[in-house]
Each structure stands twice: as structure tokens, then as C-alpha cells.
Amino acid sequence: MGKDRDVTRPDERPDRPKRGTRGGGHARAAGPRPGADRRGSDRADAERKPRRVEPPLPDDVTGHELDRAVRAELSSLARINGDIVARHLVMAGRLVDDDPELAYEHARAAQARAGRVGAVREAAGLAAYATGRFAEALSELRAARRISGDDSLLPVLADCERGLGRPERALALAASPELAGLDAGVRVEMLIVASGARRDLGQHEAAVQALRGPQLQPSARRPWSARLFYAYADALLGADRVDEAIEWFGHAADADDLGQTDAGERLADLQGITFSDDEADTEGLDPPLAD
């Protein structure tokens, strides 16, 4: 499903991990190289003309909107440079869903200025992932993981392998022992990716089985429940188990309070429900009052 094979944005697919669960908040800053004068180096970085044209930064973005832990990482930079990097990171986070290409430009500008900071490399990787640049995303996220030691990036790393047409490598990452120590949300995201990898290989029943577990409870209401139910329904549909798919798309729609999926639309489509133009125009309006 690499960029040359599938231009669908990662967040529009049911078997894609959700981006931005950490936002760089728990990454550790990269330490200075032995013998290096970080203060002088960062001042030179700030004063040197950027090697690429940077996207403009709105005046109302200060950089203080970032998570405090990310700001702490940027404190290793010269003040002016750190402020510019922070503002680019804020814009990358704001735009990644609505304008991923511009978000990518902001993240790349930050990376060019602060490539030794883990949160910056993570932001660059997630922005590249959002635009389908899977090879670049893989490189950036691997670097972020080396710098920070944070294994919560494993699901996105695995999905980048899928994007590059290497589902076997994605499944190898899904078997990483480090996952056992991560929170349930990250483990669920990896299950979703592993199921997608099985589907890439044509193993549709295995894709269904990959998602079964204690988290797959219709009554559960966790931040990841709607996405898990949706992925399970989609896997059932891929295995030609239509009746069960309809049931689980219903569960996904019920659990999706935040509009993370299009479960309601998929459910209506499978049930053959259509809306006329008049019904669509009046949807959401109050009924007329009785005479």
C-alpha cells in the first residue's frame, strides 16, 4: 500500500493506527555529542539561513501551545531557534488532519533546525506518514525511537512497513516483546495494523482472528473502542461474513461519539438504506408543528 500503490490517506483507512497519541510529550531530549559546544552550535543554527524555504508562521502562534514536556526538550536549543521550532511544531499538529501537505512542510522546517530532538523527529515522521511518504516516515520514526526510547511508535512503524508493501515486516513488529509493557490503546492499535497486514497477504480469516481478544466487547467504551469495532467489522466484511459485519458496524457506530469512523454510513450502505435529496436537505431540522 505504498504511495505508488494507494493514495488513500492513512487516517481514512480502518486498519491504520491513530496518529498523535503521544504528540512527542514523553520523548527524551537528545544529549549533546561529546566535546560539542551545544550553545555555540545552536546559535549558529539559528543564525544560519535555512537550507529550505520555510512555510510562514502566523503571528498568533507562539509555541507555548506545545505540551510542556516537548517544550522542555526544545530547551536544549538556542532560544530564538527553539521558539521557531516550537511554532512550526504547533502548526504541524494543527494542520495534519486538514492540510497534511502543509503540516509536512512545517514539520520538515522544524526537523531541519532541530534534527537531534526526539519530539521533532517524531513530528516529522508522523507528518510524512500522514502524506503517504512511508519510507521517510519510517526513517524519522526510527530515529525518534532511538533518541527517546519510546516504543509507543511501534504501530505506526509497522504500518509504514505495510505502506512499503512489506506486510511480513509489519507482522514481525507486531510480535515485538516491548508491546507487553505498553498501554492498552497502543496494543489495540497494533492489533488493527496486524489485522490489516493479514488482509494484505490475503489471509482474511486470520485478519478476523487477529482482532479477537478481551478488548472486543460491544459494551466497552474506551477511546479506542470505536476504531477496534470498525476494524473488526471491516475484517468480517473482507471474509464475506456480511451479517456479522453489519452487527459490528452497528457496535462501532454506537461507540463512536467523536466521529472517528464512518461506521454509520457503512452500516446504512450494507443495509441498503438510501436518502433522497429532500431527506438529506432536511436532516437535522425540527419536525413541523401540528396545526
Side-chain angles (χ1 to χ4, degrees):
M1 199 217 51
K3 189 180 179 184
D4 57 341
R5 299 195 298 112
D6 189 339
V7 296
T8 304
R9 282 183 50 199
D11 57 338
E12 293 173 345
R13 297 175 63 98
D15 49 7
R16 292 300 184 216
K18 183 178 180 181
R19 297 189 309 273
T21 53
R22 280 197 324 119
H26 301 296
R28 295 195 297 272
R33 292 176 296 170
D37 183 351
R38 291 294 303 139
R39 182 178 302 176
S41 173
D42 287 329
R43 185 177 295 113
D45 288 344
E47 295 173 353
R48 185 169 56 241
K49 183 178 180 180
R51 286 175 286 181
R52 59 187 294 144
V53 177
E54 298 186 354
L57 291 163
D59 292 337
D60 64 332
V61 174
T62 66
H64 293 286
E65 301 88 344
L66 283 179
D67 182 272
R68 185 174 298 176
V70 180
R71 291 286 301 177
E73 287 193 61
L74 299 182
S75 65
S76 64
L77 305 174
R79 185 179 62 81
I80 295 175
N81 192 39
D83 288 345
I84 295 173
V85 170
R87 294 171 70 193
H88 279 303
L89 291 181
V90 171
M91 292 305 299
R94 286 184 179 181
L95 294 168
V96 70
D97 290 324
D98 298 327
D99 192 344
E101 284 293 337
L102 184 53
Y104 171 78
E105 291 300 323
H106 280 287
R108 288 297 300 167
Q111 196 269 3
R113 287 176 169 273
R116 289 188 290 270
V117 178
V120 173
R121 299 300 290 271
E122 180 177 340
L126 292 175
Y129 173 79
T131 62
R133 294 174 170 90
F134 297 114
E136 182 178 343
L138 194 62
S139 175
E140 293 293 335
L141 293 174
R142 281 173 174 169
R145 188 183 177 206
R146 285 195 302 270
I147 293 169
S148 69
D150 185 4
D151 294 320
S152 69
L153 295 172
L154 280 169
V156 188
L157 287 167
D159 202 50
C160 288
E161 295 287 6
R162 286 187 61 213
L164 293 170
R166 303 189 297 230
E168 296 89 350
R169 294 191 184 184
L171 291 172
L173 284 172
S176 300
E178 293 88 349
L179 286 166
L182 301 178
D183 63 46
V186 177
R187 297 198 304 272
V188 166
E189 294 296 339
M190 185 61 95
L191 291 178
I192 293 173
V193 175
S195 177
R198 293 293 182 188
R199 294 180 67 183
D200 294 343
L201 294 167
Q203 302 171 1
H204 296 289
E205 284 297 336
V208 173
Q209 295 297 326
L211 293 169
R212 286 183 173 167
Q215 298 92 349
L216 198 66
Q217 298 291 334
S219 59
R221 290 296 182 270
R222 302 289 187 271
W224 35 261
S225 294
R227 286 176 43 75
L228 177 62
F229 299 166
Y230 186 97
Y232 187 60
D234 211 50
L236 288 167
L237 193 61
D240 294 326
R241 295 161 62 171
V242 179
D243 291 341
E244 293 173 88
I246 289 174
E247 177 185 357
W248 280 94
F249 275 125
H251 293 320
D254 290 341
D256 195 0
D257 296 330
L258 301 177
Q260 295 176 311
T261 72
D262 63 348
E265 297 173 20
R266 297 287 301 276
L267 179 63
D269 184 59
L270 287 171
Q271 292 177 329
I273 300 173
T274 59
F275 298 94
S276 68
D277 291 340
D278 290 340
E279 289 173 318
D281 291 340
T282 59
E283 185 176 356
L285 298 180
D286 293 332
L289 296 174
D291 291 338

